[in-house]
Amino acid sequence: MASTSLSWASSSLLQNCSKLSNNVSKDAMKGTDKIPVFTVEAQKKATKTRKIILKEDVKELGKKGQLMDVKAGYYRNYLLPMGMAQIMTPGLLKEMKIEDERIEAEKKRVKEEAQQLALIFETVGAFKVKRKGGKGKQIFGSVTAQDVVDIIKAQLQREVDKRVVSLPEIRETGEYIAELKLHPDVTAQVRLTVFAN
């Protein structure tokens, strides 16, 4: 069956070539006893690309959530089997847009909360810290970030992570300023009054 279809295809191809050679004008053939030469020009191979979205960070390619064009073979043979990327579709693009808007709204909300908390800290005035007194202005021990967090929790009922508190070394009575980095863009200053009892 395969040989018949092959011979049929090859015979039809030969018939087409003979029809083409008959159509070549006899004037073009005068003086030459050569068969006309047909040239076939090869077209440049088209590079196929795919529009994808990265599901995770890919070294030397991009970050998670980034939209990009990659070669189809690279996507098919590496990114897809490893689960690192997904073909971009209109539905996926819409989901990405909604997710980006949600993330931006969350960032805005967190920043506003940090600004409100900073305003509260600055309007409260000074927090009082009691320590056991030594000679002159000296106190036993020092005031730490955990002490500041405990005082804020006791007086304002607000939870603050001690890692955001930075304060100078406090080993004497007096007034000091502690800084609280509540957000990358929001820093609050808290006054501390240290006295001996």
Side-chain angles (χ1 to χ4, degrees), residues 1-127:
M1 187 84 174
S3 63
T4 351
S5 64
L6 182 62
S7 64
W8 176 81
S10 59
S11 66
S12 66
L13 182 65
L14 288 174
Q15 288 173 355
N16 288 338
C17 285
S18 66
K19 286 178 187 175
L20 284 174
S21 64
N22 288 339
N23 291 340
V24 174
S25 67
K26 293 190 180 182
D27 291 335
M29 294 296 289
K30 278 188 185 174
T32 61
D33 49 352
K34 294 183 182 178
I35 301 175
V37 178
F38 298 102
T39 57
V40 178
E41 293 181 21
Q43 294 180 350
K44 185 178 177 182
K45 186 177 179 183
T47 56
K48 295 181 182 176
T49 60
R50 297 282 183 259
K51 190 170 274 306
I52 62 157
I53 181 169
L54 294 175
K55 290 182 176 179
E56 57 187 69
D57 292 354
V58 179
K59 190 176 181 184
E60 297 180 14
L61 185 63
K63 301 273 184 195
K64 180 179 179 178
Q66 194 173 355
L67 201 92
M68 55 185 20
D69 290 327
V70 295
K71 290 188 177 181
Y74 181 61
Y75 168 73
R76 182 180 60 246
N77 296 325
Y78 179 69
L79 296 174
L80 182 64
M82 299 292 272
M84 296 177 169
Q86 188 174 351
I87 291 279
M88 189 45 129
T89 62
L92 192 58
L93 188 61
K94 188 176 180 181
E95 280 180 33
M96 269 183 55
K97 200 173 190 179
I98 291 170
E99 182 67 15
D100 286 346
E101 289 171 358
R102 187 192 66 74
I103 289 170
E104 285 302 316
E106 180 66 19
K107 284 181 182 177
K108 187 177 178 184
R109 185 190 65 76
V110 168
K111 185 177 180 180
E112 287 173 356
E113 282 182 6
Q115 287 171 336
Q116 289 174 354
L117 193 57
L119 186 63
I120 290 170
F121 288 149
E122 290 174 6
T123 56
V124 161
F127 291 99

Side-chain angles (χ1 to χ4, degrees), residues 159-171:
E159 292 285 334
V160 177
D161 189 357
K162 73 176 184 178
R163 292 175 289 189
V164 302
V165 178
S166 76
L167 65 155
E169 188 174 330
I170 303 174
R171 293 187 180 274

